[in-house]
Structures are given as structure tokens and as C-alpha cells.
Amino acid sequence: MRPRIGYLIPCTIALALAIDAGTRLIPIDLFAFRAWEALIVAHAPTGPFEPDRVYANPLTYGDLARAPRYAALRQHHFEYFSTDAWGFRNTPQAAAGPVRWLLIGDSFGVSSGVRDADTLASQLARWSGERTYNASSYLPLPVNDIRFTSERVGAQGGLVIYEYMERQFLPGAGAGVDMRVFTSGPPRPARSAGERLRVLGKEATVSRLGILAGWGRDAIAARLGSPSLDGGASQPGELPTAGAELANGATMLFFTGDVEVTRDPAREIPPDYLIWLRDELRKAHLELAVLIAPTKYQVYGPLVRTPGAPRPSDAPLRRLADALNARGVFAVDVTDALRRQAAADLARHEYVYFLDDTHWNERGIETAARTFVDARRRAGRTGRHSSDGDRRARLARVDRASTMNRADR
Amino acid sequence: VLFNSFVFLYLFLPITYFVFWRLTSRNARYVWLAVTGYVFYAFWNPKFCLLMAFSTLVSYTAGLGFLRWQDVGRRRLCLVVPIVVDLSLLAFFKYFNFALETVRWIGGQAHVTVPIEPIDIVLPVGISFYTFHTITYIVDGYRGVITPTRNLFEFACYVSLFCQLVAGPIVRFRQIEGDLDRIDTAARGAMRDSAWSFFALGLIKKVLIADTIASLIDPLLAHPRSLPTLTAWGCALGYTFQLYFDFSGYSDMAVGLGRLFGLRLPQNFASPYKARNPSDFWRRWHISLSSMLRDYLYIPLGGNRGGETRAHRNILITMLLGGLWHGAHWTFVAWGGYHAALLSLHRLTARAWLRVPTPLQVAATFVLAVVGWVLFRAESFTRASDWLHAMFSWRASDAASPALWMAILVAAIVSFALPNTFELSHDWRPLPALALTALFSAAIFVMYAGHQSPFLYFQF
């Protein structure tokens, strides 16, 4: 029979629809290069990620190297990412509560790209001996979510650590006072039919065929010779990326937004919101501390030897820390510590941020956590379990939990 | 919802199509097409459906007035009132801020402060098109060219027909009146091949050619001042073909969709870059608009009657308003003025022009059109000036883009060497049919890769 265009075209549309619909049932993990993308699609109403999930990927790599033209710069490593029943990144041990420290932050607080035992919350716990609940999300939670979460995990009277990353926008005092990002729960049992259907439905909204087509497009674009380290020419959904050569000869990728944000020494980061938040949390008998995290370019900019690369300025971060401390908000800027560690490690080709990612790695997280805990200790604000014996006992428990977590893998 | 979106392809179109052919009565089909037109429109902003419904009712009522009254006074009232209403809506939504900014600028030059601030107005998508649909209906009704319909469903179907609703072609009622009358007896399979062929060719033109060129030139045009000469020409040529394949692709899809429902929409493009002179260009480019400007503006102004000076004046007024129709910006007016100058110049030199060899006529007309598109594309006169300066002052190229020149070459071959979609028989042999299907599949693949973009003419 002669093929007629009047049938071929609608059949093509129907076939594309069938393939698209069919492939949406394939597990999304197969299409994600790291946990973040895989777990936010079906995030719980109560938290930022899919609840009660473990994502393990032995070949994850950085967000900046997602485009095929940066494939040669990918640093493959292992990522193990667990979420609790509420959808926050916590191991079952950390979520078991009660806790004394509550970490709220963004993807740096979530600690994208590292294993559960190496997250900022895990390392704060390890270095302080305080059980720390990781309530980090896409952005730090507003005050009502913090209050609710602190009650939920039994952290009343404890410490809220606000991880502020240099690129974050800080709103004015009173922002989000009437807001709740997540619902109060209780969380649905992960194995219930309703929850499974919800997750399936949410994940089905992502077209796997679209992802495959995007890969194909990227591969073609890479073959057509798109410039590789020009800081531009990004495809939809891809971070604008620039590559630079470090003093040890290694190529490091940077998010161009990070380069931009660190250029202006006169940039003002208003402390008003954090001061207001401190006052609000005090009403709930919670103490606020701020951990100021620099962008990758803030740390590695001074070590870049690419001609014409702009020098980053940490003056805005220092001013923020000073302003907060002057107003009685305990704040630690970990920029200096990270810069020192980065410079010391450079000759050994060790780093505190992933070469191919916007985020810090376990070494950088450890440096930040240790710097923060040391500063707390020097200020005599180590928390309830401040005696050495107590701390040793808690450290041992946390380490056991981390070991169990590693054994799980 | 866009024709090149999955919501349209997988949901809207199949439902509209299958329900339409399940219905048998004429009114049921009118109602269904009108309802789907409003649903299609509501994807952008449901509130503006009321505006379209209001415009429809006003024009329908005027049509009833023409049927009822024969005296000149009342007929003129039925002509003027709805046109004033329609144009007022268009003027407010599309040109209010433009006029205000112009007045403020003039005031600023004269050191006079105009104490009115621009207001936040959302431009209803497609208002320029459906306003012209209703105006042509009213004028044709007044002139007695058509017999206005008494059937509100038929008229609502004509105005809100989804395939021509937001970016044309500007279909006159008389052009589809016959098909609308026979809508209940249309045979489902009669135009199936040509319908899907038009649709596939349109999608291929839009997704594979226009969008590919756009992705290559848009980053370059962010800084036209720094463009090397060849790249500046590459961008101008690229935009020339992007606009053509984008809009003619949309028009082809609209024609194909109309045929799926038994409605034959008119041709909107007839290989415009094969034109031999500016007049010929406007007989081939956006035909539904240019013929409308001719019939409803140029000729009523006096056309060629009344001597050469009046003819040039009429050309200038028509083209300036035609430019303004495309957008509330002085660059569009300047583009209209540029084409008015070309048309007048051709009018003055028509005999000498005929002695020029045909390939040179085509090449010169093409280059003149290319230069005009710079004004059309640039966001401001400064950018247009930078771009033109880059084109006409030599600066060596350091990074020629082979992909852009390859895309331009393909587009040029299709534009100059192949027949346009209305010249094809659409009775494809097996091998070409399979090749067309393969290209259509590639377009779907590109759509999946996230390259869906709005059609350029939606903004007008």
C-alpha cells in the first residue's frame, strides 16, 4: 500500500506521544546525573526532596560539567543521598532526634554532591558533638518553617545555624513572616499506595524523551564546535559556565554568576533580615548563628592564573559578619579558612570545592564545619553538651552512625 | 498554546478534530470551533476572551444592521461605530503607551513636563489580527461585497477560528464564507493529505530552519556594534530567512489545520524573495495583510487616482500605518517608511527597471529587503544604526560561524530554488513522503529538546 502523508504525519505524532508516555515510567534516577534533580521532582509536601529515599550514584559529577562540551572535565565520584520521612536530607540516625542544632541553608547546606556522612550537618555534628538536623532546602526556610521544624525535632532551646551563601539574596526584616514553604504533615508512609502513586505521578511530569532529546541536541552542539570555556553559549537549563586555569595547571569550572557577584567590593549585603530572624527565633527560645559560605570563585579566584580573570573581593562578606556580630548575632565567615586550605592543597591537586561543580566538597565542608565549631568554642558557646566527656560520648555516637551509614552503601 | 507545542499536538488538536467530525449539524460544528477557539485563546489569558467576545458581538450586530437597513445614514452608523470601537480597543491596548511616550518625549524636547505616566497594559495576543478580521467583515458588509450572516455561531466561529486567531492569515469572511456554509457536508478525507502536508512543512520550516537560525543569530545581535562586517551581514541574512520561515511556517500550519476541518485559508506567502521589485515583493509577502492594506486603506485614500503626487502620498500613508501595525515602536514606522520609499522609487523608475536582467532585479530586491529587516529586527534606532554601520563599514571577521552560513545556505536554497507550499501538489510519492515524515520527526525531536519558541508574528 502506498504510504500517504495524510496518515504518516498523524501516525508520527501518535507514535511520539506513545513513546513519550511509555518512557515516563522509566525510573527517573536513570536520567539524573546527581541526586538533586532526581529527588526534587516528587518532593514531599513536607520537605524539599522525595521522602524516605536513598539515591546512590557511583558516577555522579558536577552541575557545571553537565554540558557535553565539558565532558572531559567531569570529576566522577560517588554520591549517597538519603532523605527522611519529611523529605529533608538526613540519615535515619540524624532524624531520630531529639537534636540540639538545626541547620537551615540552601544547596550548600544540603551539601549537594557529597555522601551523607560528609554533609555540613554531619560534619557539624562530628566536630561539635551536637546532634544536628539538616533542614536545608532550595533556600533557607522562613521563620514559621524553622519554628515548626525545631519543635518537630525537639530542638527547642537549641541553636539554629543559618547557612548564608554569598550569592543568596537576603530580604529585608520581616520577610516571609506569614509564609510556610512546606506543610506540617504528618508525612505519608513512603510505602503506602497513595504515596507511591503521588511519586509516580510527579515523576511522570518529566519527559524522559525530552531529556534524551536534550542530550542529543547537546551532543550535536558540542560536535559543531561551540566554544568550550567562553562563559557563554549555554543551552536551556544549563548553568552559564566559565573555565579558568588554576596556578597548579588544573582547569576549574565556575558559574559565571559567582564570578560576577564577587567582583564588587562595595556590594552591600544587608544584615537586617538575619537580625530580625534572630529576634523572632529568640521568642521561641532558639539561638541564631550564621555560617557565611563564600562562592567557589571567592575562594579560588585568587588562585586563578588565566589572564584577565577578575579578582574577587571578600569585603562584603567581612562587612556582613562584622555587622552581625556587632548586633549580637553570632556569625562566622569561613572564607579565610577555605582560602587557606585551598592554597595549601593546591600543589597536591586537592581541592575544597569540586572542580566541576558550584558546590564545596567534603574537604571544604569539613573546613567550614571545623571553623564554625572552633569559633563557637572560642566564644564559649559550645551548647549544652560542652563537657569533654559528654562531647566525646556524642562524637562516638555520631561516628558510629556515620559508619553505619557507610556500611549501608 | 503554540502550534509547535505538545499541549497542542497531543491534546488540543486531537480532541478538536475528533469531536468536530463526530458532530453532524452545521451549528454544532460552528459552536464547537468557536468554543475551541476561545479555549485556545484562554491558554494565554482567559480574561481577554471577553474582549474578543465583545468585539465579535459588536461586529455581528453591525452585520445585522446592514441586513435590516438600506438607508445610507443607518448603514454608515453600522459601519463607523463598530470600526471605532474595534480600533479604539486596538489603540488602547497596543498604542496608548507608545503615544504617551512620544508625547512625553516631544514635551521633554520643548521643556514641558507631561504629567501622565505610562500605565501597565498587557497586549492581548492576536488583537491586531482579529480586529482586522472584524473590520474587513464590517466594511465588506457595508459595501455589499458579502451578505452578513444572521448566524451568530457562524460569525463567532469565523472570528475565533483557532488556526488563524492569533497570527493570521487575515482571512476575509468572503474567503471562507463558502466553506463555512458547507461545513456540515465537508468530507473528512477530502483534504487530509494536503492538510497534513501543509502542517508538516510549516512545522519543519518553523522548528528546523527558523529556530535554528534564531539560536545562531540572537546571541550575536546582543552587541551589534562589535560585529565584524561578514557576521553583521550573516545576521541580517539570517534574520531575513528566520522571519520568512517562521511566519510562512506558521501560515502553512494554519492553512493545514484549516483544511483538517474543511476550511481553505488563503495563501499568505508566495516565494517573496523571488520578487523582482518592491511592488512584486508586497504582492508575495504577508499577502493577507498587504492586500488588506491595499483594499481597505490605499484604494479608499485614492490609490493611483489623482496624479503621481497623490499616489506617492497614499503609498507613504499606507506603508507607515502598515509599519505601525506591526508594533508600537518608531523602528516599525521607519521600516514602513523605508518600504514606502522603495515602492515610490520603483514607481518612478519602473520602465528603466524592466530593462535590468531578471536575476539582477531579484538580487537587488532581495538585498533591499534584507536592509529593511535590520530596522524591523532592531530594538532601537541606535541598535539599527550600529548594525547597519557594521554591515557597511569593513571590519575583518575573526570568528566566522560555519553553522550560521550553512543554515543560511539551506534557507536560501529552499527560498530561491524550491517551489512554495502552494505550488506543491501535496500528492507525495512514497519516497518523498517518507523523507517528509523523517524531517517532521526531526522537528518533533528538536521540540522535545526544548527549542519551542513563540512565533515571531504573535507579538504583532
Side-chain angles (χ1 to χ4, degrees), chain A residues 252-254 294-300 353-357:
Chain A
M252 184 173 260
L253 295 176
F254 295 98
T295 59
K296 184 180 183 181
Y297 196 75
Q298 185 66 264
V299 174
Y300 280 96
Y353 283 68
F354 292 109
L355 281 170
D356 61 349
D357 199 301

Side-chain angles (χ1 to χ4, degrees), chain A residues 256-296:
Chain A
T256 52
D258 284 354
V259 181
E260 288 305 314
V261 84
T262 57
R263 288 176 90 135
D264 182 11
R267 178 185 169 221
E268 285 299 330
I269 309 170
D272 308 357
Y273 173 74
L274 294 170
I275 293 165
W276 170 81
L277 183 64
R278 184 269 315 270
D279 295 339
E280 288 296 307
L281 294 179
R282 196 175 271 167
K283 292 176 195 166
H285 308 290
L286 291 164
E287 183 194 349
L288 178 71
V290 179
L291 190 158
I292 299 174
T295 59
K296 184 180 183 181

Side-chain angles (χ1 to χ4, degrees), chain B residues 42-114:
Chain B
F43 273 98
W44 275 286
N45 194 332
K47 282 185 285 189
F48 288 128
C49 287
L50 289 174
L51 196 68
M52 187 164 68
F54 174 70
S55 185
T56 304
L57 278 176
V58 167
S59 306
Y60 171 72
T61 309
L64 292 184
F66 295 133
L67 290 173
R68 182 162 184 176
W69 294 308
Q70 298 306 315
D71 61 295
V72 176
R74 289 191 204 178
R75 285 179 70 84
R76 195 163 281 169
L77 199 68
C78 290
L79 171 75
V80 173
V81 171
I83 289 181
V84 167
V85 169
D86 281 344
L87 288 181
S88 300
L89 289 174
L90 184 64
F92 174 74
F93 282 102
K94 193 165 177 176
Y95 300 109
F96 179 80
N97 280 339
F98 168 69
L100 188 62
E101 291 286 0
T102 305
V103 169
R104 281 163 63 92
W105 183 83
I106 293 169
Q109 298 301 305
H111 305 291
V112 177
T113 307
V114 179

Side-chain angles (χ1 to χ4, degrees), chain A residues 34-348:
Chain A
R34 59 174 180 175
W36 189 278
E37 279 74 13
L39 300 187
I40 61 169
V41 174
H43 77 81
T46 52
F49 302 108
E50 192 180 325
D52 273 332
R53 265 288 304 266
V54 171
Y55 174 94
N57 184 346
L59 287 172
T60 190
Y61 53 84
D63 50 9
L64 296 171
R66 197 187 68 79
R69 63 179 180 279
Y70 300 125
L73 298 172
R74 287 176 187 163
Q75 305 280 306
H76 293 284
H77 62 277
F78 191 84
E79 185 180 25
Y80 191 94
F81 193 114
S82 309
T83 59
D84 61 25
W86 291 75
F88 288 95
R89 185 178 189 184
N90 287 288
T91 56
Q93 291 80 20
V99 302
R100 288 285 297 163
W101 285 13
L102 183 67
L103 172 66
I104 59 165
D106 58 8
S107 58
F108 278 61
V110 171
S111 305
S112 177
V114 303
R115 296 170 295 190
D116 287 342
D118 296 319
T119 62
L120 183 58
S122 298
Q123 303 230 40
L124 283 168
R126 189 172 305 142
W127 289 99
S128 67
E130 302 286 2
R131 189 185 287 274
T132 306
Y133 184 83
N134 191 355
S136 298
S137 178
Y138 325 115
L139 283 172
L141 297 177
V143 64
N144 291 327
D145 287 75
I146 299 173
R147 281 200 202 106
F148 171 77
T149 309
S150 71
E151 281 177 29
R152 173 169 73 78
V153 300
Q156 298 100 319
L159 179 71
V160 173
I161 303 168
Y162 189 108
E163 173 266 306
Y164 167 77
M165 201 275 287
E166 188 176 3
R167 207 180 339 106
Q168 265 177 31
F169 166 74
L170 273 182
V177 68
D178 299 322
M179 195 177 154
R180 275 296 302 272
V181 175
F182 299 116
T183 59
S184 300
R188 283 163 128 176
R191 289 188 170 77
S192 68
E195 178 62 8
R196 285 185 178 183
L197 266 178
R198 186 193 70 80
V199 170
L200 199 67
K202 286 269 186 186
E203 291 192 348
T205 59
V206 177
S207 167
R208 314 317 196 248
L209 192 56
I211 297 173
L212 286 171
W215 290 347
R217 175 205 61 205
D218 290 348
I220 293 167
R223 278 196 173 275
L224 284 175
S226 299
S228 58
L229 297 173
D230 60 348
S234 60
Q235 299 290 340
E238 184 185 301
L239 286 173
T241 304
E245 191 181 350
L246 299 178
N248 65 355
T251 299
M252 184 173 260
L253 295 176
F254 295 98
F255 170 47
T256 52
D258 284 354
V259 181
E260 288 305 314
V261 84
T262 57
R263 288 176 90 135
D264 182 11
R267 178 185 169 221
E268 285 299 330
I269 309 170
D272 308 357
Y273 173 74
L274 294 170
I275 293 165
W276 170 81
L277 183 64
R278 184 269 315 270
D279 295 339
E280 288 296 307
L281 294 179
R282 196 175 271 167
K283 292 176 195 166
H285 308 290
L286 291 164
E287 183 194 349
L288 178 71
V290 179
L291 190 158
I292 299 174
T295 59
K296 184 180 183 181
Y297 196 75
Q298 185 66 264
V299 174
Y300 280 96
L303 303 174
V304 165
R305 72 172 183 202
T306 303
R311 294 282 104 177
S313 168
D314 64 346
L317 296 181
R318 271 192 276 117
R319 278 201 300 274
L320 174 65
D322 292 346
L324 290 170
N325 282 312
R327 298 288 297 272
V329 180
F330 183 81
V332 182
D333 175 9
V334 297
T335 306
D336 276 344
L338 286 166
R339 280 182 169 178
R340 278 196 304 275
Q341 190 69 49
D345 287 349
L346 201 64
R348 295 193 301 275

Side-chain angles (χ1 to χ4, degrees), chain B residues 112-129:
Chain B
V112 177
T113 307
V114 179
I116 309 170
E117 293 294 323
I119 51 177
D120 191 17
I121 301 173
V122 177
L123 176 65
V125 171
I127 189 171
S128 311
F129 288 92

Side-chain angles (χ1 to χ4, degrees), chain B residues 339-417:
Chain B
H339 272 278
L342 294 183
L343 288 167
S344 287
L345 194 65
H346 173 251
R347 190 176 172 82
L348 292 170
T349 60
R351 288 191 179 173
W353 189 252
L354 280 174
R355 290 197 289 274
V356 176
T358 303
L360 272 182
Q361 288 181 16
V362 173
T365 307
F366 177 71
V367 171
L368 290 170
V370 171
V371 173
W373 293 134
V374 172
L375 275 173
F376 194 86
R377 168 65 170 78
E379 295 89 348
S380 65
F381 285 115
T382 311
R383 282 184 170 256
S385 160
D386 289 344
W387 191 355
L388 288 168
H389 185 262
M391 286 166 69
F392 291 103
S393 62
W394 177 251
R395 187 188 293 170
S397 180
D398 53 351
S401 167
L404 174 58
W405 290 107
M406 185 65 77
I408 288 172
L409 181 66
V410 170
I413 290 170
V414 177
S415 302
F416 289 106

Side-chain angles (χ1 to χ4, degrees), chain A residues 2-10 12-14 16-17 20-21 24 207 209-214 216-217 220 224 235-236, chain B residues 6 9-10 13 192-194 196-197 199-200 403 426-430 432-434 436-437 440-441 444-445 448-451:
Chain A
R2 183 178 166 185
R4 300 201 64 91
I5 206 72
Y7 290 99
L8 286 173
I9 298 299
T12 305
I13 295 173
L17 173 61
D20 187 4
R24 283 173 196 246
S207 167
L209 192 56
I211 297 173
L212 286 171
R217 175 205 61 205
I220 293 167
L224 284 175
Q235 299 290 340
Chain B
F6 296 115
L9 281 181
Y10 293 159
L13 182 58
R192 186 185 287 134
D193 278 350
S194 69
W196 284 110
S197 176
F199 185 79
H426 299 284
D427 184 20
W428 298 88
R429 291 182 186 182
L434 291 172
L436 184 65
T437 307
F440 183 79
S441 306
I444 297 267
F445 176 84
Y448 267 106
H451 268 297

